[in-house]
Amino acid sequence: MTAMLPIPAVDPVLDTESWWWEPLAIVGLKVLVVFVIGLVGTMFMVWFERKIVAGMQNRIGPDKAGPFGLLQTLADGIKLFFKEDLIPERSDRFVFKLAPFLAFVPAFLIWSVIPLGGDFSDGRDGTVEWFGQITRVQLADPPVGVLLVLALSSIAVYGVMLAGWSSGSKYPLLGSVRASAQMISYEAALGLSLATVLMAAGTLSTSGIVVAQDRLTDWHLLSTGVVPFVVFLIAMTAELNRPPFDLVEAEQEIVGGFHTEYSSIRFALFFLAEFMNVISMSALLVTLFLGGPQPLLIGSFDLFAVLGPFGGTAWLLLKVFLFLYVYVWFRATLPRLRYDQLMDLGWKVLIPVALGWFLLLAALQLGRDNDLSQVSYVALVILCLIVLGLGYLLFTAAISVARRNRDREGAAY
Amino acid sequence: MEPTTTSFLVLGALLFGIGATGLMIRRNPLVMFMCIELMLNAVNLTFVALATRFSDIDGQTAVFFVMVVAAAEVVVGLGIIISIMRRRPGATVDDLAELRG
Amino acid sequence: MGAVGDVLSDGLGGLSHNVITGRIEDLVKWARSRSSWPASFGLACCAIEMMATGAAHYDISRFGMEVFRASPRQADIMIVAGRVSQKMAPVLRQVYDQMMEPKWVISMGVCASSGGMFNNYAIVQGVDQIVPVDVYAPGCPPTPETLIHAIETLHGLIESGEIMRRREVTGAGADVHVQEIPATSVPVLLGSS
Amino acid sequence: MTMIANEGAQEMRPRSELSARELFREVGSVLRMSEAEAAALGDLPEDPEDDQTMVINMGPQHPSTHGVLRLMLELQGETVLRCKPIIGYLHTGMEKTAEQLTFMQGGTNVTRMDYLSPLNNELVFSLATEKLLGIDGDIPERAVWMRMLLSELNRMSSHLLFMATNGMDLGAVSMMIYGWREREEVLRFFQKVTGLRMNHNFIRPGGLAADLPAGWRDDVLRLLDMLPARLEEYDILMTGQPIWRERLQGVGVITPTEALALGATGPILRSTGVEWDLRRDMPYLRYDEVDFDVVVGTYGDAFDRYAIRLNEIRESMRIVRQILDRMPSGDYRIQDKKVTPPPRARIDESMEALIHHFKIFTEGFRVPEGEVYVGIESPRGEIGCYIASDGSPTPYRMHMRAPSFVNIQCLPHMMRGGLVADAVAVISSVDPVLGEVDR
Amino acid sequence: MSSDVTTDGTEMPVDEDAVLHGCPLVESRGQQVLFVARDRYLEVLRLLTDEGFAMCVDLTAVDYSRFMDRDLPEAIDAERFEVVVNLLDISARRRMRVRVQVPESEPVVPSLFDLHPGTEAMEREVFDMFGIAFSDHPDPSRILMPEDWIGHPLRKDYETGSIPVQFKGAPS
Amino acid sequence: MELIVFVLASAMVLSGAIGVVLFKNPVHAALGLVLTLFGVAVHFVSMEAHFLAAVQVIVYAGAIVVLFLFVIMLLGVDRAEDLSIEPLKLQRPAAIVLGAGVTVLVAGAVVRGADTLGSESSAAAPGDSNIRALARSLYSDHVLAFELTSVLLIVAVAGTVVLTRRLKKSEG
């Protein structure tokens, strides 16, 4: 058994020798900051989405609650808080009460491993000095940070699933069955595209991944080819149940989906969790592929250099913003997919593509590690492409055979 | 005082015992599956405790394999349960004697 | 009213105290009036105008109301838009019962308010026989402007607490049933079969 | 939300309780099976065990059912096995009310049936009344062309609304708002002409209620100039969109035989490739004098119906341009003392005119005995008006042949074997107006 | 009221002897109307379908209890109810209206469901509104009114059900 | 500190496990299982097996139990199981005795053998290197086993697909 204290265990940079109030203060401060960012960010996101969607639809959007309607989310929250609560008679009371928290807590916890900023000027590695302590601007930095996020996102399924089941009526059940199938399916594609990043960065810790992207060419967006990024973006949208993958709560089909029977504060928790997930997953995307708080240097000009140590945070916010906008854009533009199309996209497109790309990159990495000559390197690549091509042909052939069989036998699954 | 390897092993034993008891008590095939998972977890716990104890990473490797096998087992088991339940809703293990000679 | 009140006069204008010392009730009333999600209960012609109110030209989202909830559990206002038939009446009542307190009803259009021109066996002569109505929007169908006026009126009533006060006095809260005329046996079953 | 509303025998019952014929109807296979197959199925109704299927209610208050349509769906997983539409939740007793209202007042009534194309309803009622009166040949040219103008504009606004709701049902929220935005422009013109946005009661027996206002031509031209660009936008946003095509193509397929047997008309019939448009094939008004194409589909699927409606907007714009060129001058209503109230100015001058005005609005005008059926092409299909008169000022019986009412019978046929999401697309593509279905 | 219009408004068979499938064929305001006896209803409809009237556009009924002296061909006895079927021939672009007299004592008509499945809802509507039953209809239930409704609203002896307009005091 | 973590996590493990055995409703049992799995994951973390902890949550909680729940919902077998029915008399008490016996035996053996464990201090390298060591062991020493498990997984998946596949009897 190790004798290490639990807090430094998740934050290896912290100097454990001087175990006095400074580390405690730092950790406390970080918890506070993360909490506030989570809540304010969510409030902002709700407002942002409604405003942007309104803008895209030639409307004005909320403008009665507070200046520019900024307090709209607050009003929604207060109203929901003071609304009558109800637990349906046929519901499973305990699970019904538990489910919103199962949805909400993981959404919050993801924030704990996201690097929220740091000092990257002049090639520094993102550590900052607070109260005389060297630390990272990140609540926890466990060696398996990325896996932790994956684990949390797989826990998030429970909230949705149990909510639908415990409501004791049909539409929510339908919604939750959809949700669980969808989330399990896309987890695989998510993991595979993530693996390419891990391979490129050579570490599982989020801070390590950020440090590994210190130049634009090292941003995993570019260094892993754009494919994993795209796969990740799509799979993440699906994981988040955002349009066009929002079948779980497709109003037109299954009313409110899993949260149909929820009202009041419990519904607010789902609402909050959904939007918080959007932000935290966007932050994760930025961390993995866009260098997180790393500045985008134009030459050697840093846009947020004036902010000093907070420059990293500003960069992170800017990048996250970009993706929030992309999500809202998706919502405003794309029609919803159908259930079988969703599954087809996940299993027949995203997973094979992510897997193939991963194999390709792995081969390249192998070549680089073994210092192959130019010729053999090219040969390796060609070999890979041939193998992948064959795999693709085999795959399409298998699909068409399966389809023919299904048409002939009329098999149902 | 800090927990020793022995305490982990005892915990593992308890968990295994509960799992085994549950397996014998319950009739619902799904819950019985869950009890098997409990027993597997007890084994995992023991593996990791001893791996840490002896600083041998192979214990953790074994856990990895256990998890994979558990996943495979659940997939097949649930498949069987689904196909049985479809034909005979509400069946408990006592009713399932299809393979009896 | 301090600086806070001035800054937020746009939104918190209804508050007579400043935010910190103000009674929480005021805050709640403010929140309720600023965020009243409608249950989509479109029935006939009026539903079209109700939806038009949500569209670009009129934009109900300014009041934070573009969140049409499909599930009555999460809705605050039921806008009964259109004629309510005898067959629909039980459903209407059921949806109303499924809504959570506090809840309000806007009766949109003359058909919902009084049966309108359809004074016959099929139509419920006024939806207030089934659910308590807070605001009536006249018109056949009411234009989006009329509906917005009705919504604004309701918001005003919510924010001033008028509706709550009235219910305290008369006991006619939304959860107390208005003396109910059974929806299925209005005296119209005169013909022989 | 699931509803308790219990409609007894109208609801979907377990397969074991059904007659074979009813089962065919609910699975939508009335025409697909031979007699032998049907008999075989009748003996052995394939009965999935009860806990494998789930009967869910969509509606009557459900976001996708366009009002108060209630569908009972039998699902296996998410696949629709059976579908039974239950209607009547908006039954307004309009046909009964029509027997109380005079022919003069009748327009107020019928305009509220299909509230998305009220002018077409008024038009068919007026045409039927005029035919009964025997004055159908005497309507002034200007009135006829004005009716065409309004009818075509109404077709545009109705189809624009279809674009909006179709987009909404498939989750394209912006499309919904865009559709409303364009429709609003058309409604503005209506408001200028008729004074109302909906339920105009503008087309009346004998002509119209008023002449076109000054500047109407510019308004229409502005509309016509604005719309093509917006329709291009729809094409970009929807038509060419892979997800959109995936969602609609091959969904809700119906064959020409089925469509004809079920009496489906309008875009549903045309989507199967049957060229049938009353405007061209049984011309009324002056449709035989204008150039336009009847848009037909090939596959009979939801995408065809979407594309047909989109292109019908374009065709309507073409017709409206021709109407603008050819709009004659003249009177906007027939100068027949029997059916036309005297002009406003005359009432102040002449006692006789005042009495005449009073009588025509209180008693109405007498319509000769007889019965007549007139059908025209509304945006949803053939809308027909059957009037039986006993010689009194009120119709003895007025019946509307509502296209949505008939078209809705296609739902089980289109939904069979589809997914729940397809069901939504199918309802949307049929574009039912429940006011018209239930009357 | 000028009377010149009414002359061509009355039903005037162009040809007194016009007969189609043994049923009197009348021309009314340019529209063809075929009066079919109830017992030959299905048979004639089937013949008409084969002739090209393949589409049944509309099926409705009229309660003539207050207008029994209407104009009918001589061969036809006026009954209380009339079922009116509108047929359409798409290839020849013509319409045909079939009127069937249905006695009050036995308001039953054979169903057209096998011939034109599209009449299913219409027949249910007629049953709901007039109480005319369609024999052999697959689903003879009410369609518009609630299942437990008493009476058939569109019959002439069924009151409109209008209730006097009341002005209630505003809720205080 | 370590002790607190140990006690809390052990409480999670044990209460969850007891829940699995005692809850009547399968969904509740599954939730108990999740609790146990989390407790085990916490133990793994405290023993520096970070990777295994994460995999434990991802694979067990994120996939296996979700699969359980999925099946429960799909089949609708979430009716509470009646624990009062005893198909075999004495089975339950016998099972409890047997289970307790096994537990006591194993635990006793462990405690007795505690001395033989020696007091070798753990020097499992923390952080990344742990994962690297695991990977090295997995892909070099145990590569054959690794390949075999992957074959096993594929076979399992294929087998399940075949198992649960249904052929439609006829169209419908």
Side-chain angles (χ1 to χ4, degrees):
Chain A
M1 300 308 118
T2 59
M4 267 160 75
L5 289 162
I7 292 171
V10 292
D11 199 352
V13 188
L14 265 186
D15 184 6
T16 49
E17 296 304 314
S18 62
W19 176 243
W20 191 225
W21 66 273
E22 291 100 333
L24 266 188
I26 288 175
V27 172
L29 190 73
K30 282 175 175 175
V31 169
L32 196 71
V33 165
V34 165
F35 197 73
V36 168
I37 285 188
L39 281 182
V40 172
T42 309
M43 274 183 59
F44 171 78
M45 175 61 195
V46 176
W47 173 83
F48 180 74
E49 164 149 14
R50 286 166 81 167
K51 264 309 209 202
I52 295 291
V53 167
M56 285 181 177
Q57 299 173 344
N58 300 10
R59 296 186 288 121
I60 299 172
D63 73 343
K64 292 286 177 199
F68 308 109
L70 266 172
L71 300 180
Q72 186 61 52
T73 322
L74 188 69
D76 287 344
I78 295 175
K79 180 210 64 180
L80 281 172
F81 195 85
F82 286 98
K83 210 166 161 57
E84 182 193 358
D85 191 18
L86 175 123
I87 298 175
E89 202 181 329
R90 274 173 301 173
S91 71
D92 188 311
R93 300 180 73 86
F94 171 71
V95 181
F96 190 81
K97 287 179 194 163
L98 181 70
F101 296 99
L102 284 182
F104 182 72
V105 171
F108 232 124
L109 283 183
I110 290 180
W111 277 106
S112 59
V113 293
I114 305 279
L116 294 175
D119 189 1
F120 292 94
S121 50
D122 307 327
R124 259 170 253 157
D125 65 347
T127 48
V128 290
E129 200 178 309
W130 286 353
F131 309 115
Q133 301 281 329
I134 304 272
T135 183
R136 288 187 196 281
V137 192
Q138 157 174 16
L139 179 54
D141 187 14
V144 289
V146 175
L147 288 185
L148 183 71
V149 174
L150 264 190
L152 287 174
S153 78
S154 58
I155 297 304
V157 189
Y158 281 97
V160 172
M161 222 177 167
L162 293 176
W165 173 78
S166 66
S167 296
S169 84
K170 283 173 187 168
Y171 281 115
L173 186 67
L174 220 63
S176 68
V177 168
R178 278 183 174 192
S180 34
Q182 173 178 345
M183 285 169 134
I184 295 175
S185 309
Y186 278 81
E187 198 104 340
L190 198 75
L192 279 173
S193 57
L194 205 112
T196 55
V197 173
L198 301 182
M199 197 168 63
T203 173
L204 280 170
S205 98
T206 44
S207 62
I209 290 172
V210 170
V211 172
Q213 310 180 62
D214 55 350
R215 277 171 302 146
L216 181 62
T217 46
D218 282 344
W219 282 18
H220 293 139
L221 169 67
L222 300 176
S223 69
T224 62
V226 188
V227 176
F229 170 76
V230 174
V231 171
F232 192 86
L233 185 68
I234 297 176
M236 205 169 91
T237 318
E239 282 276 297
L240 292 171
N241 298 326
R242 293 277 304 176
F245 304 102
D246 59 340
L247 298 109
V248 175
E249 39 205 278
E251 283 202 351
Q252 282 74 27
E253 294 154 30
I254 49 176
V255 195
F258 62 91
H259 59 60
T260 303
E261 297 285 350
Y262 279 86
S263 69
S264 186
I265 192 70
R266 295 184 217 286
F267 171 68
L269 281 180
F270 277 120
F271 197 66
L272 219 58
E274 187 190 326
F275 282 92
M276 190 174 289
N277 261 324
V278 173
I279 312 177
S280 49
M281 291 301 263
S282 300
L284 179 72
L285 183 78
V286 168
T287 307
L288 291 180
F289 289 97
L290 294 179
Q294 295 269 15
L296 175 61
L297 296 178
I298 303 159
S300 63
F301 170 71
D302 182 355
L303 188 61
F304 294 117
V306 282
L307 293 174
F310 292 103
T313 312
W315 274 111
L316 182 79
L317 287 182
L318 184 73
K319 291 171 187 170
V320 170
F321 236 139
L322 190 75
F323 283 99
L324 296 187
Y325 184 80
V326 169
Y327 283 128
V328 177
W329 195 3
F330 278 175
R331 179 184 213 109
T333 314
L334 293 176
R336 184 179 299 124
L337 263 81
R338 201 170 57 204
Y339 189 66
D340 57 332
Q341 293 164 352
L342 180 94
M343 287 294 159
D344 281 1
L345 179 67
W347 289 103
K348 295 183 187 162
V349 180
L350 289 187
I351 292 181
V353 165
L355 190 64
W357 197 258
F358 177 72
L359 291 178
L360 193 66
L361 282 185
L364 294 184
Q365 185 85 31
L366 194 72
R368 228 174 297 147
D369 287 351
N370 294 342
D371 286 328
L372 288 183
S373 67
Q374 205 85 51
V375 179
S376 44
Y377 196 70
V378 171
L380 182 74
V381 172
I382 291 176
L383 188 71
C384 277
L385 287 177
I386 290 174
V387 168
L388 287 181
L390 282 177
Y392 173 75
L393 285 180
L394 205 64
F395 184 66
T396 44
I399 287 182
S400 69
V401 165
R403 184 168 299 142
R404 222 173 313 127
N405 280 347
R406 195 166 59 208
D407 288 348
R408 198 185 56 231
E409 300 169 4
Y413 295 94
Chain B
M1 186 188 147
E2 60 182 57
T4 61
T5 307
T6 312
S7 40
F8 280 101
L9 295 181
V10 171
L11 177 68
L14 280 176
L15 191 55
F16 188 86
I18 296 175
T21 314
L23 187 66
M24 290 183 273
I25 291 180
R26 299 298 297 258
R27 312 240 65 80
N28 186 326
L30 282 164
V31 179
M32 292 171 69
F33 251 109
M34 291 181 204
C35 291
I36 293 177
E37 298 302 319
L38 284 183
M39 290 156 74
L40 286 175
N41 262 284
V43 173
N44 283 355
L45 198 60
T46 325
F47 264 125
V48 174
L50 289 173
T52 315
R53 181 72 189 78
F54 295 118
S55 297
D56 186 354
I57 204 71
D58 278 357
Q60 297 197 11
T61 317
V63 172
F64 185 82
F65 286 125
V66 171
M67 284 184 187
V68 176
V69 174
E73 167 231 328
V74 166
V75 167
V76 176
L78 289 182
I80 294 174
I81 292 178
I82 287 184
S83 49
I84 289 175
M85 287 290 199
R86 263 190 192 146
R87 251 173 299 151
R88 303 171 53 179
T92 69
V93 275
D94 294 321
D95 308 329
L96 303 181
E98 321 244 311
L99 291 180
R100 191 177 286 164
Chain C
M1 284 268 250
V4 180
D6 288 342
V7 170
L8 303 178
S9 60
D10 203 18
L12 298 170
L15 298 187
S16 52
H17 317 270
N18 75 43
V19 183
I20 295 148
T21 60
R23 286 183 303 164
I24 195 139
E25 264 180 63
D26 285 346
L27 187 66
V28 173
K29 280 180 206 156
W30 169 82
R32 282 176 178 164
S33 70
R34 288 300 184 272
S35 154
S36 37
W37 297 349
S40 40
F41 206 90
L43 293 167
C45 335
C46 297
I48 305 297
E49 287 296 62
M50 180 172 77
M51 287 156 85
T53 316
H57 280 71
Y58 301 98
D59 190 17
I60 208 172
S61 73
R62 288 175 292 148
F63 314 107
M65 283 181 70
E66 82 269 45
V67 203
F68 275 87
R69 296 316 303 186
S71 165
R73 302 252 188 251
Q74 296 142 16
D76 307 293
I77 298 184
M78 178 158 81
I79 302 178
V80 184
R83 40 195 192 248
V84 182
S85 69
Q86 305 281 8
K87 198 171 178 178
M88 194 67 191
V91 182
L92 178 90
R93 177 71 207 192
Q94 197 196 354
V95 170
Y96 179 79
D97 288 338
Q98 281 172 343
M99 285 169 66
M100 300 286 102
E101 291 288 347
K103 52 190 173 186
W104 297 281
V105 178
I106 292 179
S107 162
M108 181 182 179
V110 287
C111 302
S113 303
S114 71
M117 65 174 286
F118 300 109
N119 192 355
N120 63 22
Y121 63 94
I123 292 296
V124 173
Q125 301 297 307
V127 75
D128 45 10
Q129 296 176 8
I130 312 165
V131 292
V133 176
D134 293 296
V135 174
Y136 298 85
C140 188
T143 56
E145 289 94 337
T146 318
L147 180 61
I148 288 176
H149 179 252
I151 288 169
E152 286 275 70
T153 310
L154 183 63
H155 283 175
L157 290 174
I158 296 170
E159 200 173 349
S160 66
E162 190 63 35
I163 285 185
M164 298 298 174
R165 264 206 289 285
R166 164 166 61 78
R167 284 185 181 145
E168 276 164 25
V169 173
T170 61
D175 56 340
V176 178
H177 299 179
V178 166
Q179 194 172 28
E180 231 176 309
I181 302 171
T184 44
S185 61
V186 181
V188 292
L189 309 175
L190 300 173
S192 63
S193 56
Chain D
M1 289 306 299
T2 43
M3 293 297 164
I4 298 177
N6 185 7
E7 303 305 341
Q10 297 173 26
E11 292 190 338
M12 184 186 269
R13 279 164 290 158
R15 282 168 185 251
S16 47
E17 290 177 20
L18 291 179
S19 69
R21 277 153 60 92
E22 193 175 351
L23 186 63
F24 302 151
R25 197 179 57 74
E26 285 181 3
V27 300
S29 56
V30 171
L31 293 158
R32 292 186 202 191
M33 292 192 192
S34 70
E35 289 282 328
E37 281 173 309
L41 201 69
D43 296 337
L44 280 170
E46 188 215 349
D47 198 354
E49 285 154 40
D50 272 346
D51 55 347
Q52 285 181 33
T53 63
M54 173 155 90
V55 174
I56 66 164
N57 260 315
M58 272 173 120
Q61 196 49 52
H62 186 282
S64 72
T65 50
H66 289 228
V68 288
L69 173 64
R70 175 173 170 212
L71 287 178
M72 289 188 82
L73 301 176
E74 187 187 52
L75 302 181
Q76 185 164 37
E78 289 224 9
T79 312
V80 180
L81 295 184
R82 285 193 289 159
C83 158
K84 185 169 185 183
I86 300 173
I87 59 175
Y89 289 95
L90 195 55
H91 179 55
T92 318
M94 283 176 166
E95 291 182 2
K96 189 81 173 174
T97 299
E99 292 170 12
Q100 263 80 47
L101 300 175
T102 64
F103 283 96
M104 195 73 191
Q105 299 162 329
T108 351
N109 189 24
V110 293
T111 192
R112 280 162 177 76
M113 287 183 180
D114 181 353
Y115 37 78
L116 296 186
S117 63
L119 288 160
N120 281 299
N121 285 36
E122 295 161 21
L123 177 62
V124 71
F125 178 75
S126 303
L127 287 177
T129 311
E130 282 156 13
K131 214 169 183 85
L132 269 179
L133 283 165
I135 56 171
D136 48 329
D138 311 330
I139 307 297
E141 278 298 291
R142 186 172 172 86
V144 172
W145 286 90
M146 271 173 74
R147 284 175 172 188
M148 266 169 80
L149 174 73
L150 291 173
S151 164
E152 285 313 305
L153 286 173
N154 205 170
R155 193 181 312 278
M156 282 155 62
S157 76
S158 173
H159 283 340
L160 284 169
L161 194 131
F162 163 79
M163 297 287 142
T165 52
N166 201 21
M168 178 180 69
D169 285 344
L170 296 178
V173 277
S174 291
M175 186 56 228
M176 141 129 192
I177 303 285
Y178 295 154
W180 286 101
R181 187 183 65 191
E182 269 70 88
R183 176 176 180 268
E184 204 69 26
E185 301 294 335
V186 185
L187 288 199
R188 287 207 169 160
F189 178 72
F190 283 156
Q191 193 164 16
K192 197 164 182 182
V193 175
T194 72
L196 286 164
R197 291 160 52 87
M198 295 164 72
N199 302 352
H200 314 276
N201 190 19
F202 191 69
I203 299 177
R204 297 177 184 179
L208 295 100
D211 205 350
L212 290 167
W216 65 274
R217 199 178 290 267
D218 295 337
D219 289 339
V220 177
L221 277 175
R222 201 178 56 80
L223 198 65
L224 292 183
D225 292 341
M226 179 203 74
L227 269 180
R230 301 279 172 91
L231 294 183
E232 295 285 313
E233 228 174 83
Y234 296 177
D235 273 343
I236 296 170
L237 196 60
M238 303 281 100
T239 319
Q241 237 265 14
I243 300 181
W244 183 259
R245 297 180 87 100
E246 278 287 313
R247 278 304 301 278
L248 290 183
Q249 281 178 342
V251 166
V253 177
I254 189 166
T255 62
T257 342
E258 285 170 342
L260 285 174
L262 290 168
T265 45
I268 296 182
L269 183 58
R270 285 197 285 276
S271 73
T272 63
V274 179
E275 290 181 47
W276 181 255
D277 188 326
L278 289 176
R279 290 178 294 173
R280 189 196 66 178
D281 295 314
M282 290 179 150
Y284 52 98
L285 300 180
R286 295 289 177 270
Y287 277 112
D288 44 351
E289 294 177 22
V290 290
D291 261 353
F292 65 96
D293 293 327
V294 175
V295 191
V296 291
T298 317
Y299 305 102
D301 59 4
F303 186 80
D304 277 358
R305 295 191 275 276
Y306 157 79
I308 286 176
R309 291 194 174 100
L310 186 64
N311 287 312
E312 275 186 8
I313 299 178
R314 298 200 166 104
E315 290 304 317
S316 287
M317 283 160 51
R318 210 169 127 197
I319 300 177
V320 168
R321 278 197 193 278
Q322 296 175 49
I323 296 172
L324 285 185
D325 293 340
R326 300 189 49 182
M327 177 69 77
S329 57
D331 210 345
Y332 60 90
R333 58 184 174 186
I334 190 170
Q335 283 310 325
D336 181 337
K337 271 194 186 160
K338 201 167 70 102
V339 292
T340 325
R344 179 70 185 79
R346 288 267 295 135
I347 297 175
D348 296 338
E349 296 162 5
S350 133
M351 190 63 192
E352 201 179 312
L354 183 62
I355 294 172
H356 181 207
H357 183 269
F358 181 73
K359 279 190 76 99
I360 217 165
F361 276 101
T362 50
E363 277 174 19
F365 46 82
R366 293 188 173 275
V367 170
E369 284 178 21
E371 37 108 54
V372 75
Y373 175 88
V374 174
I376 65 166
E377 187 77 20
S378 99
R380 262 152 280 280
E382 173 177 340
I383 184 165
C385 184
Y386 177 75
I387 300 182
S389 170
D390 60 351
S392 71
T394 59
Y396 183 76
R397 161 112 172 93
M398 189 213 70
H399 168 75
M400 276 282 186
R401 188 266 179 200
S404 304
F405 178 67
V406 185
N407 290 350
I408 231 171
Q409 295 182 84
C410 302
L411 285 180
H413 291 255
M414 294 175 173
M415 280 184 187
R416 186 162 77 129
L419 299 177
V420 181
D422 289 339
V424 175
V426 166
I427 302 172
S428 167
S429 78
V430 170
D431 194 20
V433 172
L434 269 294
E436 185 183 59
V437 173
D438 295 344
R439 279 155 290 152
Chain E
M1 301 291 150
S2 59
S3 58
D4 52 343
V5 189
T6 42
T7 44
D8 62 57
T10 47
E11 285 189 358
M12 202 172 322
V14 246
D15 183 358
E16 288 289 344
D17 304 325
V19 160
L20 185 65
H21 304 306
C23 304
L25 179 69
V26 169
E27 175 137 339
S28 155
R29 292 178 170 85
Q31 300 174 341
Q32 300 218 301
V33 184
L34 189 67
F35 288 87
V36 180
R38 187 160 59 129
D39 46 355
R40 295 199 56 220
Y41 175 56
L42 261 187
E43 179 199 340
V44 172
L45 257 289
R46 189 155 282 144
L47 288 170
L48 285 173
T49 312
D50 296 341
E51 234 168 62
F53 293 102
M55 191 166 172
C56 177
V57 168
D58 189 23
L59 184 147
T60 185
V62 187
D63 175 8
Y64 276 115
S65 56
R66 295 195 186 150
F67 185 36
M68 293 300 277
D69 55 345
R70 60 192 185 277
D71 267 337
L72 289 175
E74 281 164 24
I76 302 293
D77 293 331
E79 298 283 359
R80 176 173 174 184
F81 296 112
E82 234 177 54
V83 168
V84 184
V85 184
N86 270 297
L87 299 173
L88 181 63
D89 182 349
I90 280 198
S91 45
R93 299 177 184 179
R94 53 190 178 144
R95 288 181 191 277
M96 166 79 76
R97 190 152 69 241
V98 174
R99 289 167 70 175
V100 189
Q101 305 294 319
V102 182
E104 185 182 1
S105 52
E106 194 206 355
V108 181
V109 180
S111 167
L112 286 185
F113 181 72
D114 287 330
L115 211 50
H116 304 285
T119 56
E120 193 266 342
M122 307 175 196
E123 286 176 352
R124 273 175 75 191
E125 189 197 357
V126 169
F127 165 72
D128 194 357
M129 292 290 138
F130 292 93
I132 299 175
F134 288 84
S135 57
D136 217 17
H137 187 276
D139 181 19
S141 58
R142 283 184 182 271
I143 188 167
L144 294 179
M145 304 308 292
E147 193 58 33
D148 51 1
W149 195 262
I150 303 163
H152 300 283
L154 278 183
R155 286 188 173 189
K156 282 290 173 184
D157 52 7
Y158 191 94
E159 296 297 320
T160 320
S162 58
I163 54 172
V165 177
Q166 6 168 340
F167 294 94
K168 296 177 200 153
S172 55
Chain F
M1 199 68 189
E2 290 266 295
L3 189 66
I4 300 175
V5 173
F6 178 79
V7 169
L8 282 179
S10 302
M12 275 168 79
V13 170
L14 292 180
S15 57
I18 292 172
V20 174
V21 178
L22 294 186
F23 278 133
K24 289 182 178 171
N25 190 323
V27 173
H28 292 176
L31 287 179
L33 184 58
V34 174
L35 194 65
T36 303
L37 297 176
F38 266 102
V40 172
V42 172
H43 280 311
F44 283 179
V45 170
S46 75
M47 288 187 282
E48 292 292 312
H50 293 291
F51 181 76
L52 282 184
V55 171
Q56 165 97 358
V57 175
I58 295 175
V59 172
Y60 263 120
I64 294 185
V65 183
V66 169
L67 214 59
F68 270 121
L69 284 176
F70 195 74
V71 169
I72 292 173
M73 289 178 190
L74 209 65
L75 295 179
V77 289
D78 48 357
R79 305 179 280 274
E81 178 190 347
D82 193 356
L83 283 177
S84 63
I85 298 178
E86 287 216 40
L88 296 172
K89 279 223 171 101
L90 288 180
Q91 185 204 359
R92 208 158 279 154
I96 292 171
V97 168
L98 209 64
V102 167
T103 314
V104 169
L105 271 179
V106 176
V110 166
V111 174
R112 266 184 67 91
D115 305 337
T116 60
L117 277 175
S119 55
E120 198 177 334
S121 75
S122 73
D128 265 8
S129 52
N130 190 341
I131 300 164
R132 282 178 198 281
L134 184 61
R136 197 155 291 128
S137 149
L138 201 56
Y139 292 109
S140 53
D141 302 346
H142 303 284
V143 70
L144 184 65
F146 181 81
E147 292 299 330
L148 283 179
T149 47
S150 54
V151 170
L152 175 72
L153 269 181
I154 290 185
V155 170
V157 169
T160 312
V161 169
V162 173
L163 256 180
T164 51
R165 197 164 105 126
R166 265 182 311 177
L167 294 182
K168 276 188 197 169
K169 278 159 267 169
S170 61
E171 270 233 78

